[in-house]
Amino acid sequence: MQGSVTLILGGAASGKSAYAEQICHRSGKDRVYWATSQIYDQEMREKVDRHIAQRGDGWRTHEEPMQAHKVLSKLSQDEICLMDCATLWLTNHLLAEHDLETAQVQLFTAIDQCAAELVIVSNETGMGIVPENALARRFREAQGRLNIALAARANRVELVAAGLPITLKSPS
């Protein structure tokens, strides 16, 4: 049985991760954190450490930058999993020069087969100026397509701006 999917969108430092964590805490389910980041420098290490402190105890963490099935296939309907975040997942695949279409099909298959409730955090990157370089433009387009596909699968979609959630889609 597939669990429900909530997509939390927002800009950088908008409060989307904190909001997603609140959803997980309120669920009353066993909490799983799927970390997609890869730590390449001190700045990223500090950001990860802030996120760990922010969410507190009571989470089982899986550090898996690319392969969704390694995390999602092991979850049960008694759990809620926070994927933080789809943007870094996409970045990891893009920088590794993987076929993005194949990677996304694998992600969607893992989501569709997951028994747990999922909360997916993703950046909304299309609200700014057109980037000046080809890689940044490719990323922005791929992120937009990924968000559209995730929103289509999600039961609920929220946009967080200035720490405030705005419901874009809710279950009927």
Side-chain angles (χ1 to χ4, degrees):
M1 179 177 130
Q2 179 193 6
S4 67
V5 178
T6 300
L7 176 62
I8 308 297
L9 298 168
S14 64
K16 61 190 176 299
S17 291
Y19 180 69
E21 291 162 8
Q22 291 172 13
I23 291 171
C24 294
H25 279 284
R26 286 193 307 259
S27 76
K29 296 181 178 184
D30 292 338
R31 296 184 307 275
V32 177
Y33 188 86
W34 173 16
T36 60
S37 65
Q38 297 183 79
I39 300 170
Y40 293 114
D41 58 28
Q42 185 60 30
E43 179 185 3
M44 190 61 171
R45 171 82 268 163
E46 290 169 5
K47 180 177 181 171
V48 167
D49 288 345
R50 282 192 307 273
H51 273 256
I52 290 169
Q54 174 182 291
R55 72 177 170 269
D57 295 332
W59 294 82
R60 189 174 78 245
T61 300
H62 294 275
E63 294 180 4
E64 176 49 56
M66 294 187 228
Q67 296 181 6
H69 72 277
K70 287 186 174 181
V71 177
L72 301 184
S73 67
K74 297 177 176 128
L75 302 179
S76 74
Q77 63 187 19
D78 299 328
E79 297 174 301
I80 187 166
C81 178
L82 172 54
M83 176 192 189
D84 200 355
C85 73
T87 304
L88 287 174
W89 174 90
L90 176 68
T91 300
N92 296 336
H93 283 286
L94 186 67
L95 294 179
E97 299 182 4
H98 293 164
D99 179 283
L100 295 182
E101 186 175 334
T102 299
Q104 287 183 19
V105 166
Q106 292 169 349
L107 173 65
F108 300 149
T109 298
I111 289 171
D112 292 346
Q113 295 174 353
C114 183
E117 182 177 348
L118 298 178
V119 179
I120 301 170
V121 172
S122 190
N123 284 29
E124 179 54 64
T125 60
M127 298 174 121
I129 61 172
V130 175
E132 73 171 275
N133 69 74
L135 178 60
R137 286 189 300 274
R138 182 173 175 226
F139 167 75
R140 184 199 58 185
E141 293 299 316
Q143 184 66 62
R145 287 190 302 278
L146 176 61
N147 286 346
I148 290 167
L150 288 170
R153 280 180 161 67
N155 306 86
R156 175 176 290 281
V157 180
E158 304 269 352
L159 175 67
V160 177
L164 302 172
I166 303 163
T167 301
L168 301 178
K169 178 182 177 182
S170 63
S172 301

